[in-house]
């Protein structure tokens, strides 16, 4: 396939025209994506209810496990329950599902190469963040702990409601670190693969980095369309990225200090 007339800068309508010429089967691309999102809104709800129940039960167990292993308390929280019972459904749709423009933009980035192959038919299986939520942990160490426990293999030793929900509804869970030195982004991501075919991305991050993440995400949305050529001294971009690194250090030190303080207190008692 040719890259002739490929839009160098992103505009959803301009890209859609190019895409429809390159992939004739994807006629009315924007409408097809809107229809796909509408389908997801309803298809995903029952699986998200299961995920919420699974996380609720898992959090109770893992907070106790973390306490036993580290001798300090931690907490895991997710906005999923509140979004699922959003009376107006606006929070459910806007915060849990990737928007049409974002989907088109990601297709534009995936096809910005010599041999474009990302057609509409690949969206549901290869764009794994169409449905996404988050978990906020007390520390980055707790994020790592939770990420490790969320991997499919960790469920083999579990019993009761947690294992029952997992076996009935979920095919597998894959967790991995998202530690990006270039952007200052330090978190963990889990992909939940449901038996229904739905994929949900769960971003796991610390409470210390919560406010920073919004700024960094806005910066990311800007720079992925117009990459930063150089980082100037004192620029907003440089400060946001540097703050991410400082928060990473602060996260580590707060966690280490709490563990050391508790050990010292325990040894004196």
């Amino acid at each position: 396939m040719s890259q002739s007339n490929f839009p160098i800068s992103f505009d959803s309508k301009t890209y859609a025209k190019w895409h429809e010429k390159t992939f004739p089967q994807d006629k009315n691309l924007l409408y097809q994506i809107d229809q796909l999102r509408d389908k997801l809104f309803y298809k995903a709800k029952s699986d998200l209810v299961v995920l919420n129940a699974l996380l609720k039960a898992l959090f109770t167990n893992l907070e106790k496990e973390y306490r036993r292993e580290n001798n300090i308390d931690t907490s895991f929280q997710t906005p999923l329950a509140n979004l699922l019972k959003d009376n107006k459904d606006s929070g459910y749709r806007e915060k849990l599902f990737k928007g049409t423009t974002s989907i088109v933009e990601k297709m534009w980035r995936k096809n910005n190469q010599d041999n474009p192959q990302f057609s509409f038919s690949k969206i549901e299986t290869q764009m794994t963040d169409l449905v996404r939520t988050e978990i906020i942990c007390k520390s980055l160490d707790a994020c790592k702990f939770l990420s490790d426990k969320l991997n499919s293999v960790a469920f083999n030793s579990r019993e009761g409601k947690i294992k029952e929900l997992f076996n009935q509804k979920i095919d597998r869970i894959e967790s991995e670190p998202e530690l990006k030195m270039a952007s200052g982004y330090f978190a963990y991501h889990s992909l939940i693969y449901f038996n229904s075919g739905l994929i949900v991305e769960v971003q796991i991050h610390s409470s210390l980095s919560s406010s920073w993440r919004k700024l960094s995400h806005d910066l990311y949305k800007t720079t992925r369309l117009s990459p930063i050529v150089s980082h100037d001294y004192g620029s907003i971009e440089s400060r946001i990225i540097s703050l991410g690194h400082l928060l990473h250090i602060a996260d580590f030190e707060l966690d280490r200090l709490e563990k050391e303080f508790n050990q010292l207190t325990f040894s004196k008692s």
Side-chain angles (χ1 to χ4, degrees), residues 96-98 106 127-132 191 199 201:
L96 289 174
F97 297 87
K98 197 176 187 70
K106 195 161 189 176
M127 202 175 286
T128 56
D129 60 347
L130 290 176
V131 189
R132 63 272 179 99
L191 293 178
I199 304 170
E201 179 187 81

Side-chain angles (χ1 to χ4, degrees), residues 54 78 99 157 160 168 207:
L54 177 65
T78 178
S157 61
Q168 287 180 355
S207 55

Side-chain angles (χ1 to χ4, degrees), residues 16 19-21 23-33 120:
H19 184 99
E20 289 165 9
K21 288 181 179 178
F23 302 94
Q25 71 274 23
D26 290 352
K27 187 178 179 180
N28 298 320
L29 177 67
L30 299 181
Y31 175 76
Q32 286 197 66
I33 293 174
F120 176 82

Side-chain angles (χ1 to χ4, degrees), residues 38-55:
D38 285 341
K39 183 183 77 171
L40 275 176
F41 293 152
Y42 299 101
K43 173 185 173 182
K45 198 146 196 177
S46 60
D47 282 340
L48 288 171
V49 169
V50 169
L51 178 60
N52 181 59
L54 177 65
L55 291 178

Side-chain angles (χ1 to χ4, degrees), residues 6-258:
F6 183 86
I8 302 302
S9 58
F10 176 73
D11 174 78
S12 58
K13 291 183 179 179
T14 303
Y15 172 77
K17 289 180 181 178
W18 173 88
H19 184 99
E20 289 165 9
K21 288 181 179 178
T22 307
F23 302 94
Q25 71 274 23
D26 290 352
K27 187 178 179 180
N28 298 320
L29 177 67
L30 299 181
Y31 175 76
Q32 286 197 66
I33 293 174
D34 283 339
Q35 291 295 103
L36 171 62
R37 292 185 73 242
D38 285 341
K39 183 183 77 171
L40 275 176
F41 293 152
Y42 299 101
K43 173 185 173 182
K45 198 146 196 177
S46 60
D47 282 340
L48 288 171
V49 169
V50 169
L51 178 60
N52 181 59
L54 177 65
L55 291 178
K56 184 178 179 182
L58 195 61
F59 290 171
T60 301
N61 281 262
L62 292 184
E63 285 171 4
K64 294 176 183 177
E65 283 187 34
Y66 191 85
R67 171 68 183 178
R68 286 196 301 269
E69 291 183 18
N70 297 281
N71 199 34
I72 60 174
D73 292 321
T74 195
S75 62
F76 307 111
Q77 299 176 334
T78 178
L80 185 55
N82 289 333
L83 293 173
L84 285 171
K85 62 183 181 184
D86 181 2
N87 292 330
K88 295 182 179 180
D89 224 22
S90 56
Y92 171 76
R93 289 172 179 254
E94 292 172 11
K95 295 187 177 180
L96 289 174
F97 297 87
K98 197 176 187 70
T100 296
T101 300
S102 293
I103 292 172
V104 177
E105 181 198 314
K106 195 161 189 176
M107 296 180 79
W108 172 75
R109 286 186 280 120
K110 284 181 174 292
N111 280 322
N112 189 7
Q113 51 188 310
D114 293 334
N115 186 27
Q117 297 182 9
F118 198 89
S119 63
F120 176 82
S121 63
K122 297 184 178 181
I123 292 179
E124 277 195 270
T125 56
Q126 296 186 25
M127 202 175 286
T128 56
D129 60 347
L130 290 176
V131 189
R132 63 272 179 99
T133 189
E134 64 179 348
I135 297 172
I136 304 99
C137 305
K138 185 179 176 182
S139 67
L140 196 58
D141 181 70
C143 293
K144 183 181 184 305
F145 173 85
L146 178 60
S147 175
D148 291 342
K149 298 294 183 180
L150 272 175
N151 271 311
S152 292
V153 67
F155 283 89
N156 291 336
S157 61
R158 300 198 171 276
E159 298 177 354
K161 183 179 180 180
I162 294 175
K163 191 166 185 176
E164 182 181 343
L165 283 170
F166 179 81
N167 288 336
Q168 287 180 355
K169 297 291 185 177
I170 297 173
D171 175 50
R172 67 189 188 279
I173 301 178
E174 298 175 354
S175 296
E176 62 181 13
E178 287 285 323
L179 310 178
K180 299 178 178 178
M181 296 301 291
S183 62
Y185 179 79
F186 299 94
Y188 291 81
H189 287 186
S190 291
L191 293 178
I192 319 291
Y193 292 86
F194 285 87
N195 292 331
S196 65
L198 181 74
I199 304 170
V200 179
E201 179 187 81
V202 181
Q203 300 174 357
I204 308 169
H205 59 89
S206 72
S207 55
L208 191 60
S209 66
S210 291
S211 296
W212 177 87
R213 287 179 75 253
K214 183 181 184 305
L215 280 174
S216 67
H217 183 67
D218 290 343
L219 174 65
Y220 171 64
K221 286 195 296 186
T222 301
T223 56
R224 69 188 176 193
L225 299 181
S226 303
I228 300 172
V229 177
S230 63
H231 294 275
D232 296 327
Y233 170 75
S235 68
I236 291 175
E237 297 87 355
S238 296
R239 284 151 53 206
I240 289 175
I241 293 170
S242 296
L243 182 60
H245 288 277
L246 288 173
L247 289 172
H248 182 215
I249 295 171
D251 236 320
F252 178 81
E253 287 301 323
L254 281 171
D255 182 71
R256 186 171 70 169
L257 283 168
E258 185 173 13

